[in-house]
Amino acid sequence: MSLAEAAHAKVNLHLHVLGRRADGYHLLDTLVVFAAAADVLVAEPDDTLSLAIEGPFAAALAGEADNLVLRAARALAAAAGVTRGARLRLVKRLPVAAGIGGGSADAAAALRALDRLWGIDIEPERLAAIAARLGADVPACLASGPARLGGIGERVAPAPGLPSFGLVLANPGVAVATPAVFAAYAARGEAFDRPAALPDAWREAAALARDLAACRNALEPAAIALCPAIAEVLAALRALPGARLARLSGSGATCFALFDDAAAAAAAARRLATAHPSWWIEAGLAPVTPASRTGSRAPAGAASAAAGPRA
């Protein structure tokens, strides 16, 4: 039996830049949720460690000399003293360099899958420490649930109580490099943000969207300057019937629109896909939580089903 882990897309509902450290990294305040859209990592026992990548966005990773999934596997093996290998297969359904944490989510999925495949049962704190060494986004992706992130993204705190809501993700098919967006943001010389003032909980999507509208993604203007197609995506999302809020996620180019429920999001996604057939578009119910995460103990044949629907 193979083990499969879904690596869900991370969506920044807001992203404020609070300052800049001496080493150049920016300090953030962001509320993140995980969407139904996901890559899938399948792990099988083997004597050596290997990784095969397939799926719609596999070609974008073909030139990587050392994929983050393999780095995560080696880090876990070293920390736990594991000498066995694993045959890993990554079904890459999320676009690369897209502002939705795909690479970090893949690495986190590898940690979760191999912890079980190798029978390590490592303490959550140790696993989180390994994740933090792999990248600032990996700890949040390891938990794969709603969170309020601080620092450079590595400080994970509980999110306010969230209602369920529909979410549409759209990407125009343009890769955007995160360092370039942060450099463009810094060059603009904007005043830093304050942390977002958020309530303890929301009861409905309309209230969530209203409060998020008072926040922003501070990187959005810089990202649009580097990738003007983002502005077109945002305009198209805002024009969809039932869209409560549309915003850039992370450094882009993926944008999201928030809806009252999954049915409204699915209908909007079909409409958007008809108008823009070349865009990557996904719809589903959010937020995904660790308890509802798909693909956690599926056989290899279930990998594609665990990835979530394509719009």
Side-chain angles (χ1 to χ4, degrees):
M1 179 71 73
S2 301
L3 298 178
E5 278 283 346
H8 290 277
K10 177 177 67 66
V11 180
N12 300 85
L13 297 183
H14 85 275
L15 193 159
H16 288 187
V17 178
L18 308 185
R20 194 173 188 181
R21 299 193 318 195
D23 61 6
Y25 283 93
H26 288 83
L27 300 171
L28 310 176
D29 167 47
T30 180
L31 175 62
V32 300
V33 296
F34 288 81
D39 294 335
V40 176
L41 185 85
V42 181
E44 300 176 343
D46 203 1
D47 294 332
T48 60
L49 185 64
S50 63
L51 173 65
I53 306 175
E54 59 187 67
F57 294 100
L61 300 179
E64 286 194 351
D66 190 19
N67 186 280
L68 192 58
V69 167
L70 288 174
R71 289 166 52 194
R74 288 195 293 266
L76 179 61
V82 172
T83 57
R84 288 166 290 158
R87 185 163 57 252
L88 304 175
R89 177 164 58 91
L90 177 63
V91 185
K92 190 66 184 169
R93 299 183 181 273
L94 301 178
V96 176
I100 50 177
S104 296
D106 295 341
L111 293 176
R112 293 193 303 265
L114 292 174
D115 179 49
R116 293 186 293 112
L117 183 74
W118 289 335
I120 301 171
D121 195 25
I122 194 169
E123 298 87 348
E125 295 78 10
R126 288 185 64 200
L127 197 60
I130 295 169
R133 292 194 292 270
L134 294 167
D137 278 347
V138 183
C141 292
L142 184 65
S144 198
R148 186 88 178 259
L149 308 184
I152 60 173
E154 85 288 3
R155 296 178 186 170
V156 183
L162 289 165
S164 63
F165 55 90
L167 198 65
V168 172
L169 302 180
N171 184 291
V174 181
V176 179
T178 297
V181 174
F182 272 101
Y185 164 82
R188 294 171 66 88
E190 294 186 27
F192 292 126
D193 300 306
R194 293 184 177 183
L198 302 178
D200 293 334
W202 293 278
R203 297 184 62 181
E204 59 184 11
L208 171 64
R210 181 193 64 234
D211 288 345
L212 288 175
C215 308
R216 68 169 186 155
N217 181 338
L219 301 180
E220 196 170 288
I224 290 173
L226 292 175
C227 178
I230 291 172
E232 182 184 359
V233 176
L234 288 170
L237 288 171
R238 287 167 181 152
L240 291 172
R244 295 273 186 189
L245 175 79
R247 179 168 285 158
L248 182 73
S249 177
S251 57
T254 303
C255 302
F256 71 88
L258 192 154
F259 295 81
D260 285 341
D261 52 44
R270 289 192 294 269
R271 183 183 183 119
L272 189 64
T274 299
H276 301 280
S278 66
W279 290 1
W280 176 82
I281 299 168
E282 291 275 357
L285 191 67
V288 171
T289 64
S292 64
R293 200 168 54 217
T294 57
S296 58
R297 287 191 181 271
S304 60
R310 293 273 304 178

